[in-house]
Amino acid sequence: MNHEFFDALYMLEEEKGISIENILDNIKNAIAVAVKKYYNVGDNNVLVEIDPKESKFKVSIVKDIVEVVEDPSSQISLEEALEKNKRSKVGVKLTTKLDTKQIGRIAAQSGKNLIHQAINEAVKAQMMEQYQSKLNEVLPAIVQKVEPKTGNATIELDKNEVILFKNEQIPGEQLIEGQRIQVYVNDVISSERRCSIKVSRTHRDLVKRLFEKEVPEIYNGIVEVKSISREAGSRTKIAVFAKDENVDPVGACIGPKGMRVANIVNELNGEKIDVIRYSDDPAEFISQALSPADVIRVKILDPEARTCRVIVPDNQLSLAIGNRGQNAKLAARLTNYKIDIKPKSEAPTLEEEDEFINADTLISKTEVSEQTSVTEETENTSMLQQTEQEKPAVEMLEEETPEGHSKKEQPNLEELARAIIGD
C-alpha cells in the first residue's frame, strides 16, 4: 500500500507539476475524515503520518485509557486496552496503529473519494496560481485530440489538459494530433468544482503577442502597437508607431525579406496581415488604413462624431471597400472612424454639395451678425438719447466761420462750473 500510494504521488508531481508538500495536508485531512467516520472516533483521535522521503504512511487511533468509559469516541476501558497492550495504564493514551486493510471497503472508498477531491483542489489551486500570471499571454500548446462531432480540441498546456473550443479556433484551420500551436489565454475562471482556462486563437491580441515575440523592437518598446482590427482566418490590420524617428516601424515588423511577418502568417494558418504606419493626423492615418487601396484625399466631416469621407480612384473603389466590405470595416475599426468611401467621379458633385452647405452656413452666420449689429446700433442710439437728456444744458455760442460753417465756441470754466452746480 505504501509503495503504491507514494508512486501515485510522485506520478502526480511529474505529470501535473504539483509538489507533494503542497497536497500532503489535504490528503492527511481526507484520510482522517474517512477513519473518523468509519471507526466513529473524535476529531482529535486520529493520527495520520506521511513521510514522503522515507515513503512511510501510518494511520493510528489515539484514545484515553479510563476505568469507566463515558465517551467511546475518545475513551477506552483499561480492560480493552490491556488486550491490545499489556503495559496500558489508566490516565495514559493508547495508540493503535491501523493496517490500511483494516479500514474496510467503505472507509477505503470514502478515503479514495476524499483523496481524489483533495488532489483536485490542489490541482485547481496550482492552476489558478500558475495561469493568473499567464493571463493575456500567448503560450505554446500541443494538440492531443480533436472531437470529430464537435470539432473541439483537447490541448496540453503546461502539463494540463485544456479545451480549445471550435468557435475559438481559426476558421478554416484543421488541427491534427501532435500539432504544436500558439494559444492566447483570455480568461481564468475558478469555480467550486474546478479551475477552467479559456484559450483562443481568434482573439485579436493573439496577433499582438505574436508580434511582440517575433519583433524585438516591439518587445523592447521602441515600436508601439497602437491598434489592431482582425477578422480571424481572413485578414488583420495592425497600426504601429516608432518612438525613435530613426526606426521604420513597418519595416521592423515585416523583417528582412518579410521573414518576421511570414512566421506570424504561418502560425495563423495563412491569415493576411496589413502592417499600417500610425499617424496622429487622422486623415493620414485613415488613408494608410485603407491599404492596399490608393486614396486621393480624406476629408474629416465631423471630428467629434469621428466621421470622414474618402475619395479613391474609380478603379480602386472595390479594392478600398473589399470583399463584403471587409477592408473598409477593418479600417474603420482600426481608426475608430466612420468612413464613407466615394469614387473620384462623384467628387465634383460632393464638393458642390459641401460648398452649398458652407454657403448656407455663411448666410446664416451673416444674418445673425446683421441682426446683432442692428440690435447693438439701436441700443447705442437709446443710450445716446438718454445721455443727451441727462446731461446739463449748456448753451454753446456759434459763430460763422469764413467758410460759412458753424463752429461751437467752448464755454469758459466759470460758466461751465455754474452750469454744473445749477447756479
Side-chain angles (χ1 to χ4, degrees), residues 194-211:
R194 61 191 179 119
C195 171
S196 59
I197 304 167
K198 290 187 176 181
V199 294
S200 173
R201 281 177 59 78
T202 61
H203 202 285
R204 66 177 184 178
D205 283 344
L206 171 66
V207 181
K208 180 179 180 180
R209 297 304 184 198
L210 290 176
F211 268 97

Side-chain angles (χ1 to χ4, degrees), residues 8 36 62 71 100 102 104 204 210 218 238 243 302 356 378:
K36 284 187 291 184
V62 181
D71 183 7
T100 51
Q102 294 176 350
R204 66 177 184 178
L210 290 176
I218 294 179
I238 177 170
K243 298 178 181 179
D302 189 342
F356 179 74
T378 305

Side-chain angles (χ1 to χ4, degrees), residues 328-348:
K329 289 177 184 177
L330 290 174
R333 293 176 199 161
L334 190 73
T335 60
N336 197 24
Y337 261 83
K338 296 178 181 178
I339 303 175
D340 182 21
I341 303 175
K342 297 293 183 182
K344 183 181 179 182
S345 57
E346 295 184 16

Side-chain angles (χ1 to χ4, degrees), residues 15-16 141-147 152-164 175-181:
E15 290 182 355
K16 301 294 185 181
I142 301 175
V143 179
Q144 290 186 336
K145 62 179 179 179
V146 180
E147 294 292 337
N152 297 336
T154 302
I155 61 175
E156 182 184 340
L157 195 63
D158 284 352
K159 299 182 179 181
N160 293 303
E161 288 188 352
V162 180
I163 302 297
L164 176 61
L175 299 178
I176 58 176
E177 294 182 11
Q179 181 179 351
R180 295 182 179 273
I181 59 174

Side-chain angles (χ1 to χ4, degrees), residues 143-343:
V143 179
Q144 290 186 336
K145 62 179 179 179
V146 180
E147 294 292 337
K149 292 183 179 180
T150 62
N152 297 336
T154 302
I155 61 175
E156 182 184 340
L157 195 63
D158 284 352
K159 299 182 179 181
N160 293 303
E161 288 188 352
V162 180
I163 302 297
L164 176 61
F165 292 100
K166 180 64 177 178
N167 62 347
E168 294 293 347
Q169 299 173 26
I170 298 174
E173 76 173 342
Q174 298 293 329
L175 299 178
I176 58 176
E177 294 182 11
Q179 181 179 351
R180 295 182 179 273
I181 59 174
Q182 300 283 332
V183 295
Y184 179 78
V185 181
N186 60 339
D187 201 1
V188 180
I189 301 173
S190 178
S191 62
E192 292 182 0
R193 296 182 60 185
R194 61 191 179 119
C195 171
S196 59
I197 304 167
K198 290 187 176 181
V199 294
S200 173
R201 281 177 59 78
T202 61
H203 202 285
R204 66 177 184 178
D205 283 344
L206 171 66
V207 181
K208 180 179 180 180
R209 297 304 184 198
L210 290 176
F211 268 97
E212 288 177 354
K213 283 188 171 184
E214 199 69 37
V215 182
E217 290 84 352
I218 294 179
Y219 182 82
N220 295 330
I222 299 173
V223 175
E224 180 183 355
V225 177
K226 286 290 189 177
S227 60
I228 297 177
S229 59
R230 184 187 185 198
E231 286 196 8
S234 182
R235 196 181 206 96
T236 291
K237 288 182 181 286
I238 177 170
V240 292
F241 172 78
K243 298 178 181 179
D244 186 346
E245 59 182 11
N246 297 320
V247 176
D248 176 18
V250 176
C253 293
I254 294 175
K257 298 182 180 180
M259 289 302 296
R260 290 176 178 175
V261 73
N263 292 337
I264 298 173
V265 169
N266 291 336
E267 176 61 38
L268 299 178
N269 195 40
E271 185 174 315
K272 296 179 182 178
I273 298 178
D274 296 335
V275 183
I276 308 299
R277 187 186 301 272
Y278 174 81
S279 174
D280 289 328
D281 179 8
E284 176 64 23
F285 186 28
I286 293 167
S287 177
Q288 293 288 335
L290 286 169
S291 173
D294 296 328
V295 174
I296 297 175
R297 65 176 175 274
V298 178
K299 182 172 184 179
I300 306 298
L301 301 178
D302 189 342
E304 294 183 0
R306 300 185 75 84
T307 58
C308 70
R309 180 184 297 138
V310 176
I311 304 298
V312 300
D314 288 28
N315 62 351
Q316 295 276 304
L317 181 61
S318 60
L319 184 62
I321 296 174
N323 185 23
R324 297 182 181 179
Q326 183 190 78
N327 195 56
K329 289 177 184 177
L330 290 174
R333 293 176 199 161
L334 190 73
T335 60
N336 197 24
Y337 261 83
K338 296 178 181 178
I339 303 175
D340 182 21
I341 303 175
K342 297 293 183 182

